[in-house]
């Protein structure tokens, strides 16, 4: 292995979608929103490039009961993100050792550029970040892993991919990358060391 491909959400940056919704409508209503509204596919469509204005209009038309909560998620999105200091330390150690690192994230282009890019120092160690919302492709589509390898200037079989979602890890393995399911920075460090990386 000569390079590392990092997922961002809950790997390098903590993502808690409850917080921005609770800020807007209260915690009880926010919990009800996530229990009763089909948030995952709706949010993933924005990760695939759908504009947030269209996403919110869809909720207004088809599920007006949840429009206030959905709007709060978008309006207060910055509250969903916070640093993961132990992961940042691991990334910095790899950077100091000269290891090529790149990001690969399912993330809305709008929210990434407005609320993540430039805000978290850990991202400065990555030579590029492939953002699904900018490419119109989400993990685990094989095309986005191949694009990450191309942007890294390395072959898939020289890269290890870390993600907290197992089917995204499986997608990386399917194109020839080594895949590690991320649970915490300590375990990730050990897995990378076992693959021969200098951490």
């Amino acid at each position: 292995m000569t390079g590392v491909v990092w997922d961002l959400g809950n790997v390098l940056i903590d993502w808690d979608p409850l917080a921005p919704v609770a800020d807007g409508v209260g915690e009880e209503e926010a919990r009800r929103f996530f229990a009763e509204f089909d948030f995952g596919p709706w949010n993933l469509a924005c990760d695939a490039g759908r504009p947030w204005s269209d996403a919110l209009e869809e909720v207004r038309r088809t599920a007006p009961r949840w429009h206030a909560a959905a709007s709060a998620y978008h309006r207060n999105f910055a509250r969903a993100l916070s640093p993961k200091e132990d992961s940042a330390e691991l990334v910095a150690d790899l950077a100091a050792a000269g290891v090529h690192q790149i990001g690969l994230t399912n993330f809305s282009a709008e929210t990434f550029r407005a609320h993540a890019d430039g805000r978290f120092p850990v991202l400065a160690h990555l030579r590029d970040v492939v953002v699904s919302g900018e490419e119109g492709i989400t993990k685990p589509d094989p095309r986005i892993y191949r694009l990450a390898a191309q942007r890294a200037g390395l072959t898939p079989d020289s890269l290890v991919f870390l993600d907290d979602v197992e089917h995204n890890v499986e997608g990386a393995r399917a194109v020839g990358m080594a895949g590690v399911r991320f649970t915490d920075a300590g375990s990730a460090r050990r897995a990378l060391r076992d693959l021969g990386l200098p951490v």
Side-chain angles (χ1 to χ4, degrees):
M1 298 294 107
T2 57
V4 179
V5 182
W6 293 100
D7 175 39
L8 299 191
N10 294 327
V11 175
L12 299 188
I13 300 168
D14 272 326
W15 173 64
D16 174 15
L18 179 68
V21 180
D23 274 3
V25 298
E27 185 168 340
E28 183 178 347
E29 179 71 353
R31 292 190 182 282
R32 191 174 296 118
F33 170 68
F34 285 106
E36 299 180 22
F37 179 71
D38 198 7
F39 177 81
W42 176 76
N43 187 59
L44 186 63
C46 293
D47 289 349
R50 176 172 64 176
W52 273 100
S53 57
D54 291 355
L56 294 171
E57 175 60 19
E58 176 191 300
V59 177
R60 188 194 65 77
R61 286 186 297 99
T62 64
R65 164 76 175 81
W66 302 119
H67 186 257
S71 296
Y73 176 71
H74 178 249
R75 182 175 63 252
N76 303 323
F77 182 82
R79 283 274 288 117
L81 306 180
S82 59
K84 286 181 73 71
E85 300 297 347
D86 50 355
S87 293
E89 182 179 347
L90 173 54
V91 171
D93 289 347
L94 287 163
V99 175
H100 196 125
Q101 299 177 87
I102 189 170
L104 171 56
T105 182
N106 282 356
F107 216 126
S108 156
E110 295 173 55
T111 52
F112 178 77
R113 295 303 170 193
H115 301 295
D117 192 26
R119 174 180 168 191
F120 295 95
V122 65
L123 301 183
H125 292 297
L126 308 180
R127 301 188 186 188
D128 198 357
V129 179
V130 177
V131 179
S132 65
E134 295 179 342
E135 307 302 335
I137 313 166
T138 57
K139 296 174 290 184
D141 188 311
R143 293 175 296 168
I144 201 163
Y145 301 97
R146 294 190 184 107
L147 178 60
Q150 180 184 340
R151 295 270 181 88
L154 297 168
T155 58
D157 62 1
S158 68
L159 293 165
V160 55
F161 174 72
L162 297 95
D163 197 299
D164 60 312
V165 177
E166 182 60 33
H167 69 256
N168 291 340
V169 175
E170 291 170 358
R173 291 175 181 146
V175 302
M177 294 181 183
V180 173
R181 171 77 180 275
F182 181 92
T183 56
D184 61 81
S187 298
R189 184 182 293 272
R190 290 189 293 274
L192 293 174
R193 187 180 298 130
D194 288 347
L195 288 165
L197 287 157
V199 283

